[in-house]
Amino acid sequence: MNSVVLDVSGLHYATEQNVVDAKLGRQPGVHHVEVNPTAQTATVHFDPDVTSVAQLRQWVIDCGYHCAGQSVPHHICDPAAEPRTGHSPHRAMAHHGHDHASMATDMRNRFLVALLFSIPIVLWSPIGTEVFGLHLPAPFGMRADVWSLLLSLPVIGYSCWIFFAGAWRALRARTLDMMVLVAVAVGAGWLYSVVITLTGGGEVFYEAATVLAAFVLLGHWFEMRARGGANDAIRTLLDLAPPKALVLRHGEPVEVPTAEVAVGDLLLVRPGAKIAVDGVVEEGDSEVDESMVTGESLPVHKAPGSAVVGATINANSTLRVRATKVGADTALAQIVKLVQEAQNSKAPGQRLADRAAFWLVLVALVGGGLTLGAWLLSGASFATAMLFAITVVVITCPDALGLATPTAIMVGTGLGAKRGVLFKNAMALETSARIEVVVMDKTGTLTKGEPEVTDVITDGFGEDELLRLVAAVERESEHPLAEAIVRRAGDLDGLRAARFENVPGHGAIAEVGGRRVVVGNRRLFEREGVELGPLASRRDELAATGRTAVLAAVDGVPAGVMGIADAPRETSVAAVQALHDLGVEVVMLTGDNQATAERIAGQLGIDTVIAEVLPGDKAAKVAELQAGGRRVAMVGDGVNDAPALAQADLGIAIGAGTDVAIETADVVLMRSDPLDVPIALRIGRGTLRKMRQNLGWAIGYNTIALPIAAGVFEPAFGLMLRPEIAALSMSGSSVIVAVNALALKRLRLGGVV
């Protein structure tokens, strides 16, 4: 199966997604379709041996929607058409933003026309007489109903055209959506009034049809403006990429659009400028701010041979960078791809809501017919019965139900992207809200993944003096423990080792400043005939706490012992505490010995330790935790922990940096920071809460409003709704859902949710 994200322009209402979904879903070779009306995109999973992207695009056009240009970061056309120079994210987003803005403007213009002509229609209607006390004669000696008919023509012909066109598209696709309801309500009311007018006059309600249309357009104009903010994350990410780049041609810098940079081009990046594409430094030495892409707060030093990422900022010196990835292959484009795919995916709750929306449209149409019949049987006039029937059809429009979860998902995934937390799909977002146990790999996740000197115990030497002597020897070695000692010692002031001898499995021997220095383990001391003396007990103490003990002797005399261990990350304690605050149990899973694991767990406050586990057995340990019925998340590096990540209910890859294509993880953390794990869970919980609130509001609103609209309480309490008030109420419900989802942007990620 292949997948492609298509830009689908003209999805004015949430329920219009059913039209594209139904049309494409029935085509040969299409596995499934996920349409996002908020993002104006459709993600299609298809068999390339049966159909093509061009055919998919044509089917969307056959639905009556515009499908042109290219999506971000996928190509609408043949992905292999431009193998060296990818498309411009700015150009794609400009098309996307212009399309959304033009739709909102079009909705506004249609509303203004409807409002302009509805006002005089209301003034010449019975409402103008009964409510405002007006008795206005129609101009040119016409009847008031004929005058109202003429005024309604622009509203029906222009403002309401999107309803009729949308209803036609839905019926052609053999589905039902909100457009069908509005078209039926407005069309039935208007056509009934036209028939009455042409047959000699009587009770008409042009004002109900036109004001209904005006309020529906007004509500959805506001709704489109509100849900437009859900795309902020994609826009923010794409704005990171510079539109221009300086490419060296024949030794001279030439400014070209970023989209025209090709693999192999040499770029000149001046201080303060953004790096246009991914590449490798060929000349220069500088600090680069990568926080906007990876979330890493500290600048990263770059020298010849260092990899750099597009959209990051060169801080203080000029760099010459050879382009290695451009267009859709850059790290930024891959991040945008993950965010967009997550926003286009559907949570289980949304799939249920989509089915409910279809049936709600059917209920509205059937309910309208039953309401009409019931009022006629009760002896009411046809006009009164028609009024109640139209109100029922309007009030039950399921647009709010269709918006309930996609808008929350878009905001939640966007919120995560800004913090370097990438959810691969809506299922991952929803699952993260239900996690009860977090299993964390030790090395590279909770710890830094590299050895560090934790203890220096000396006998007859100063600490600095001993470290310098030992580091001079270890500088000649390539062992990871040797590198840790050299890092701890710092500047050696030119001190060098002579006659260096590496003793495999034991340590090293050399002369430093005329003194014979022996560095290694107990077996090396035995070989050299050095007695440990009092240092033996200190060595045993270090070993008992999980540290590796490195012994040192100078001129045949024991000089000291150093403890080396993989130190915890600075934020690991805070991360474990934050998970505990969320009520989540933390389990450390490691292949290290029990003593080392217990020491780290004690420092971090971890609940449970599972040590001495082979890499291949980690998945089985996760399965054992799941056997109790609890939802388990596994946090690992995405490579060695792949089976465990796949086994867990939620796989979280930490420390991905710019390598975001981790197949087995559901969530990718761009930074090597365990503190992002509770942040991911907080975002999931906040998003799920908004989804539940929105679904509850949409379902509750329709449950309460339907009997009122049908006039059930009118005989006893005089409680009823006119169609135009129902339209305003229905549109207001959709706006409330969109605004409530946008409120997720204020989620306090540093606090407890």
Side-chain angles (χ1 to χ4, degrees), residues 159-173:
S159 297
C160 296
W161 182 252
I162 60 169
F163 303 143
F164 302 133
W168 176 243
R169 286 195 294 261
L171 294 175
R172 282 179 58 199

Side-chain angles (χ1 to χ4, degrees), residues 697-719:
W697 168 265
I699 294 171
Y701 164 82
N702 282 288
T703 302
I704 295 171
L706 185 58
I708 298 175
V712 172
F713 304 109
E714 196 275 338
F717 306 102
L719 182 61

Side-chain angles (χ1 to χ4, degrees), residues 234-306:
I234 293 287
R235 281 192 289 268
T236 300
L237 286 170
L238 291 175
D239 283 343
L240 294 176
K244 301 284 187 179
L246 284 177
V247 178
L248 291 170
R249 301 272 168 83
H250 307 293
E252 295 296 324
V254 179
E255 189 174 66
V256 301
T258 299
E260 295 180 9
V261 176
V263 173
D265 281 347
L266 187 63
L267 279 62
L268 180 69
V269 187
R270 292 172 175 149
K274 284 187 176 181
I275 301 171
V277 297
D278 296 0
V280 175
V281 176
E282 289 204 351
E283 282 185 50
D285 195 287
S286 183
E287 301 292 321
V288 174
D289 180 2
E290 297 183 342
S291 59
M292 65 290 299
V293 176
T294 66
E296 188 61 54
S297 57
L298 297 177
V300 181
H301 180 73
K302 302 295 181 181
S306 299

Side-chain angles (χ1 to χ4, degrees), residues 151-442:
L151 290 173
S152 70
L153 291 177
V155 179
I156 299 300
Y158 171 67
S159 297
C160 296
W161 182 252
I162 60 169
F163 303 143
F164 302 133
W168 176 243
R169 286 195 294 261
L171 294 175
R172 282 179 58 199
R174 290 178 286 172
T175 188
L176 298 172
D177 66 3
M178 177 181 170
M179 290 294 197
V180 174
L181 293 185
V182 178
V184 167
V186 173
W190 186 78
L191 288 174
Y192 168 80
S193 300
V194 170
V195 171
I196 295 297
T197 300
L198 296 179
T199 55
E203 185 178 359
V204 296
F205 32 85
Y206 291 109
E207 77 286 352
T210 56
V211 174
L212 185 157
F215 280 161
V216 170
L217 291 167
L218 173 65
H220 283 80
W221 174 35
F222 285 160
E223 174 199 317
M224 290 176 70
R225 287 168 58 90
R227 59 186 167 113
N231 278 322
D232 286 348
I234 293 287
R235 281 192 289 268
T236 300
L237 286 170
L238 291 175
D239 283 343
L240 294 176
K244 301 284 187 179
L246 284 177
V247 178
L248 291 170
R249 301 272 168 83
H250 307 293
E252 295 296 324
V254 179
E255 189 174 66
V256 301
T258 299
E260 295 180 9
V261 176
V263 173
D265 281 347
L266 187 63
L267 279 62
L268 180 69
V269 187
R270 292 172 175 149
K274 284 187 176 181
I275 301 171
V277 297
D278 296 0
V280 175
V281 176
E282 289 204 351
E283 282 185 50
D285 195 287
S286 183
E287 301 292 321
V288 174
D289 180 2
E290 297 183 342
S291 59
M292 65 290 299
V293 176
T294 66
E296 188 61 54
S297 57
L298 297 177
V300 181
H301 180 73
K302 302 295 181 181
S306 299
V308 292
V309 183
T312 56
I313 300 174
N314 180 26
N316 47 25
S317 298
T318 300
L319 295 175
R320 282 175 168 77
V321 176
R322 184 72 65 182
T324 56
K325 293 181 180 179
V326 299
D329 295 328
T330 64
L332 178 63
Q334 292 299 311
I335 293 170
V336 171
K337 175 185 175 181
L338 279 183
V339 175
Q340 190 179 47
E341 288 180 346
Q343 291 182 342
N344 288 347
S345 63
K346 293 182 179 179
Q350 176 61 23
R351 299 181 191 278
L352 180 62
D354 287 346
R355 290 194 295 271
F358 172 85
W359 289 106
L360 191 58
V361 173
L362 190 60
V363 166
L365 294 173
V366 173
L370 292 176
T371 301
L372 178 68
W375 278 100
L376 289 175
L377 290 174
S378 70
S381 67
F382 189 85
T384 300
M386 177 69 76
L387 209 63
F388 279 114
I390 291 174
T391 305
V392 167
V393 170
V394 171
I395 202 75
T396 49
C397 284
D399 202 43
L401 193 62
L403 282 172
T405 62
T407 312
I409 289 169
M410 289 193 72
V411 176
T413 52
L415 186 64
K418 290 180 179 179
R419 291 295 300 261
V421 178
L422 306 180
F423 294 92
K424 283 194 172 181
N425 50 55
M427 176 71 81
L429 190 64
E430 188 169 325
T431 303
S432 66
R434 298 187 169 97
I435 292 301
E436 299 165 276
V437 180
V438 170
V439 179
M440 304 185 83
D441 178 51
K442 180 183 76 69

